[in-house]
Amino acid sequence: MPEQNILNYSLSELSDMLENKGISAVEISSAYLGMFRNHGGKINCYITVNEDMVIADARKSDERRSAGNALSRYDGIPIAVKDNICTQGVRTTCASRILENFIPPYDATSYAKLKAAGFILFGKTNMDEFAMGSSTENSYFGVVKNPYNTGKVPGGSSGGSAAAVSARMAPAALGSDTGGSIRQPAAFCGVTGIKPTYGRVSRYGLVAFASSLDQIGSFGKNVADAALLLSAVSGYDEKDSTSVDREIDFAPEHITGDIKGMKIGIPDEYFIGCSGEITAKIGEKVELLRKGGADIRKISLKYIDYAVPVYYLIATAEASSNLARYDGVRYGYRSPGVSGIDTLYNRTRSEGFGKEVKRRIILGTFSLSSGYYDAYYLKALKGRTLIIEDFVNAFREVDAIITPTTTATAFGIGEMSGNPLQMYMSDILTISANLAGIPGISVPIGLDSSGMPMGLQIMGNHFNERAILNVGSAVEKICDPVKPEM
Amino acid sequence: MKIDKDVITRVAVLARIDLTDDEKMEFSEQLSGIIGYVEKINELDTEKIIPSDHIGGVKNVLRNDTVGSTIGEGVLERMAPEFENGHIVVPRIIEGS
C-alpha cells in the first residue's frame, strides 16, 4: 500500500481497509509518523508525539482485530487531540509554561470515548496558550505555521489541530472552540471544522477557558470525517453539569447533502468588510445551492457589531476566574525558591503565564471588579441576550445560515501580534455562534489568488448539527478539494 | 475609559500577577484601546433585558452518592511541585516556631 494513498483516505475508507484486512493499524500510524518526521518540525503543529506509544497502541489494535475483538470498526485509526484535552498519562500543557509538565491523572470524556472505540492517540496538538488567541502564535512551544504558506499563521486557537489535518499529519483531530477556535483555523488551513451546540460534547477534562462558551469539536479532511469524529465524542455525560442528553442524529450515514427545500438565510451584515474574493466565491456557491433546490433568503443579524465587545468582556471575565486555580500549589509550575505564600502565587503566575493570558486575566479581573461590574460585565451579559434573541428570530425563518468564516484569508506571522484588538476582530464572524450556543461549521471552498484557503461558515439552530452538516456536504460537492503542497 | 497605570496596578494585585513597569505601560495602552472599543455596548438599550450568563436550560445536576475510586496519593505526589510525608508542601503561612 503506497503511503501517499493512506494519507488521503477518509476515516470511513481507513475503517473499510482495516476491516477488510487490506491494511494494518501499524501501517496507518507509520504513514502518519512518516509525515510527522518529515514535516512536523517545520509546521510545529504538535507539542507531544510519542512515536513508540503510537506504534505500540497500533500493534495492540491489530491484535484485537485479528482476534475478532476490535472495539469498533474504527479501532486502530490515529487521531490528533488538542493539548487542552486531558489524556491520562500523556502530558497536557495547554501550550503554557504553567502546565509544561502536567500529566493528567484522568481522561477527558471526549477522549475516553475515542479510546473506548479503539481510536489511537497520535499526538497532542499545539495551540494558543489556554486557547487564547486567533493565530497559534501565543504558544510557549513556538508558533505554528500554515501548511499552505509557512510565512502565514494557521489561525487559532486550535491551529495545531487544523494544520495537522491539513498537512496530512493526522487523518482527523479534536479541537475546542470558544469564539471560533475550530472554524477560523479550519478556514485558514483548508479543512472542515465543526463546533457543535453547547452541551453536545462533554467538557469534562477540557481545560476551562470560558466555561459558558467552550465546546469541543472536530476537524476532518472532509465533512463526513468531521461528522464522524464529532458523533464519536458527543453524548450526555453526568460529569459535566451542562451536558445535554439529545439523540446523536448526524453520523455520516445521516448526512446526504440533500438541501432541496431547505431554507438558508444569508445575513448581509456578515459580508461587511469581507474580502472581495471571499464574498464573490460564497455568492457563487450560494447561487449553486439555489439551483440545487435550496430556498435562499436574505436575513438580518443586526447585533454582529456588538459580538466582539460582548464576547471579550464575558470570555475574559470567565477566564480570570477559571485561571485562578493556577497558583503553584497542587500541580503545574511553581516558581522556585520563594518564601511566603503570596509571593509564591504572584511569582508562579507571572512566570508561568504568557503575555496574552496575562492581558486577558487583567481585562477580565477589571470588568468583574467593584465599580466596573455593572458597566462592563453585566452590560455584556445583557448584550448576549440580544445576540441570542437575534438567532432565535432568525431560526424561526430559516434552517441554516451561510456566512464567510473569516473576512480574509490567513494573515502573516507577526502581522497582528502587537495589536491585540485587531487580532480580536479577526473572530468577528465566528464569535456569535458561541455566545448563542449554536452549532457552526467551516467548509473549504477553494483558494484565493494568493493560494490561501477560503472558508464558508454554516450556522444552525441548537442541536441541529444535522442541518449544517447537510448544507456543508452540499457545499463540498460543488467545490474542488484543496490540499497543500508538502 | 482610560485604563491608567494605577488601575492596572490595582487590578494586577487582585489577579495575583506581578507586572513590570514596562508591562504596566503596555497593558495600560492596550487595555485602554480594548475598553474604548468594547464600550460600544453602551449603545445597546438593555433596560428591560435580562442578562444571560448562560445559553439557558442549565439546572442543578445531582448524582447518586456512591463509593468510587479517587486519585491515589502516588499520583498526587507526582503532580505536586513539592510533596512530603503525604502532604503538599507550601511556604509557611503562620509566623512562629
Side-chain angles (χ1 to χ4, degrees):
Chain A
M1 180 67 48
E3 280 202 354
Q4 248 359 77
N5 289 350
I6 292 180
L7 299 173
N8 289 323
Y9 282 140
S10 67
L11 295 182
S12 60
E13 284 167 339
L14 287 173
S15 164
D16 288 343
M17 296 299 287
L18 284 164
E19 291 283 280
N20 300 321
K21 315 281 180 203
I23 198 174
S24 70
V26 169
E27 280 175 277
I28 295 173
S29 279
S30 299
Y32 280 101
L33 285 172
M35 278 303 274
F36 169 70
R37 280 185 215 115
N38 289 334
H39 304 287
K42 183 175 71 185
I43 303 296
N44 198 29
C45 49
Y46 283 104
I47 291 174
T48 302
V49 175
N50 183 333
E51 299 197 21
D52 293 340
M53 197 183 79
V54 172
I55 292 299
D57 286 349
R59 200 161 281 138
K60 276 183 225 152
S61 166
D62 284 334
E63 284 164 14
R64 279 195 296 270
R65 186 167 272 108
S66 310
N69 296 327
L71 297 170
S72 77
R73 60 188 303 259
Y74 305 105
D75 195 332
I77 296 179
I79 298 290
V81 174
K82 189 176 180 180
D83 212 21
N84 59 351
I85 297 172
C86 285
T87 46
Q88 186 176 0
V90 178
R91 77 171 175 156
T92 299
T93 69
C94 272
S96 181
R97 183 185 188 192
I98 217 157
L99 290 176
E100 184 179 2
N101 298 307
F102 174 63
I103 297 177
Y106 64 91
D107 282 327
T109 299
S110 54
Y111 171 60
K113 280 173 179 278
L114 292 184
K115 213 154 91 169
F119 285 100
I120 290 171
L121 176 64
F122 185 78
K124 303 297 296 286
T125 56
N126 206 346
M127 54 186 278
D128 282 302
E129 184 179 1
F130 284 102
M132 297 180 187
S134 310
S135 65
T136 318
E137 292 170 291
N138 303 328
S139 167
Y140 181 61
F141 298 89
V143 176
V144 178
K145 315 285 171 54
N146 192 306
Y148 282 84
N149 178 342
T150 52
K152 305 255 188 194
V153 303
S157 67
S158 311
S161 289
V165 174
S166 171
R168 305 298 189 258
M169 280 188 249
L174 289 186
S176 69
D177 189 315
T178 304
S181 281
I182 288 176
R183 290 158 288 154
Q184 184 253 28
F188 281 7
C189 292
V191 296
T192 298
I194 180 166
K195 176 203 98 75
T197 309
Y198 186 82
R200 185 62 105 169
V201 178
S202 169
R203 288 182 297 109
Y204 180 73
L206 169 68
V207 179
F209 158 19
S211 306
S212 81
L213 304 162
D214 296 339
Q215 265 296 285
I216 291 172
S218 61
F219 290 92
K221 285 197 283 276
N222 54 48
V223 172
D225 283 4
L228 197 160
L229 187 58
L230 182 64
S231 63
V233 297
S234 292
Y236 177 69
D237 179 16
E238 62 174 18
K239 291 175 184 154
D240 172 3
S241 62
T242 60
S243 172
V244 178
D245 193 5
R246 287 289 281 256
E247 188 199 352
I248 300 161
D249 58 354
F250 50 86
E253 57 269 28
H254 298 293
I255 309 305
T256 56
D258 180 13
I259 44 122
K260 272 205 180 60
M262 199 176 210
K263 296 191 275 290
I264 299 176
I266 313 291
D268 278 344
E269 294 93 340
Y270 275 66
F271 292 82
I272 296 166
C274 199
S275 93
E277 281 190 82
I278 293 176
T279 303
K281 183 62 96 179
I282 289 180
E284 188 187 297
K285 300 302 172 192
V286 167
E287 198 42 45
L288 287 169
L289 294 177
R290 187 201 304 274
K291 284 182 182 150
D295 175 359
I296 307 289
R297 300 174 178 198
K298 286 249 178 261
I299 61 164
S300 173
L301 290 168
K302 54 186 180 296
Y303 290 110
I304 186 173
D305 286 346
Y306 302 95
V308 172
V310 165
Y311 173 86
Y312 275 94
L313 286 166
I314 292 174
T316 56
E318 292 187 19
S320 72
S321 166
N322 274 326
L323 272 64
R325 73 190 66 171
Y326 304 103
D327 55 9
V329 173
R330 293 151 302 155
Y331 57 90
Y333 174 77
R334 175 186 286 193
S335 183
V338 292
S339 58
I341 195 76
D342 287 324
T343 317
L344 175 77
Y345 295 152
N346 285 15
R347 290 245 182 100
T348 294
R349 292 164 64 78
S350 305
E351 292 163 12
F353 291 138
K355 190 166 268 181
E356 179 61 22
V357 173
K358 288 182 197 171
R359 190 158 36 227
R360 293 201 194 191
I361 290 174
I362 297 286
L363 179 57
T365 307
F366 168 79
S367 72
L368 288 176
S369 65
S370 167
Y372 302 110
Y373 180 93
D374 286 352
Y376 295 104
Y377 180 65
L378 191 62
K379 182 82 181 179
L381 293 183
K382 291 177 178 175
R384 184 175 186 181
T385 304
L386 293 171
I387 291 167
I388 293 170
E389 285 173 358
D390 220 8
F391 281 99
V392 168
N393 291 331
F395 287 118
R396 285 201 182 104
E397 264 186 71
V398 296
D399 306 308
I401 296 169
I402 286 183
T403 73
T405 310
T406 57
T407 55
T409 54
F411 47 89
I413 288 170
E415 201 178 312
M416 292 192 193
S417 41
N419 189 342
L421 184 55
Q422 194 189 1
M423 184 78 88
Y424 298 171
M425 296 295 288
S426 71
D427 295 332
I428 188 160
L429 304 180
T430 49
I431 269 176
S432 298
N434 300 77
L435 291 168
I438 58 172
I441 185 172
S442 178
V443 178
I445 50 169
L447 305 180
D448 72 359
S449 51
S450 66
M452 299 307 290
M454 299 182 281
L456 177 150
Q457 176 176 239
I458 307 143
M459 293 181 280
N461 208 349
H462 291 125
F463 299 103
N464 205 354
E465 281 82 2
R466 190 169 171 169
I468 63 171
L469 284 160
N470 264 320
V471 177
S473 170
V475 170
E476 186 175 64
K477 285 175 184 158
I478 52 172
C479 294
D480 294 326
V482 296
K483 191 182 157 193
E485 305 264 338
M486 291 301 293
Chain B
M1 180 190 164
K2 168 126 176 66
I3 311 294
D4 61 26
K5 218 176 113 183
D6 289 346
V7 175
I8 297 282
T9 304
R10 202 162 45 81
V11 172
V13 170
L14 294 174
R16 296 201 182 277
I17 289 176
D18 289 336
L19 296 175
T20 63
D21 256 18
D22 284 353
E23 283 176 320
K24 284 178 190 167
M25 291 306 289
E26 186 188 341
F27 281 9
S28 162
E29 193 184 314
Q30 289 170 340
L31 266 57
S32 295
I34 294 167
I35 288 292
Y37 171 70
V38 302
E39 280 173 348
K40 191 173 173 56
I41 59 172
N42 291 328
E43 297 166 11
L44 294 170
D45 178 7
T46 55
E47 206 186 327
K48 295 198 178 87
I49 303 298
I50 297 161
S52 296
D53 51 12
H54 235 275
I55 59 153
V58 178
K59 56 183 189 313
N60 274 334
V61 177
L62 304 176
R63 62 169 169 77
N64 291 328
D65 187 15
T66 50
V67 178
S69 58
T70 185
I71 296 169
E73 191 183 303
V75 177
L76 291 179
E77 182 169 2
R78 282 193 293 280
M79 282 197 298
E82 220 183 317
F83 197 89
E84 218 177 278
N85 299 326
H87 298 280
I88 290 167
V89 179
V90 292
R92 182 185 294 275
I93 52 169
I94 299 167
E95 293 302 319
S97 53

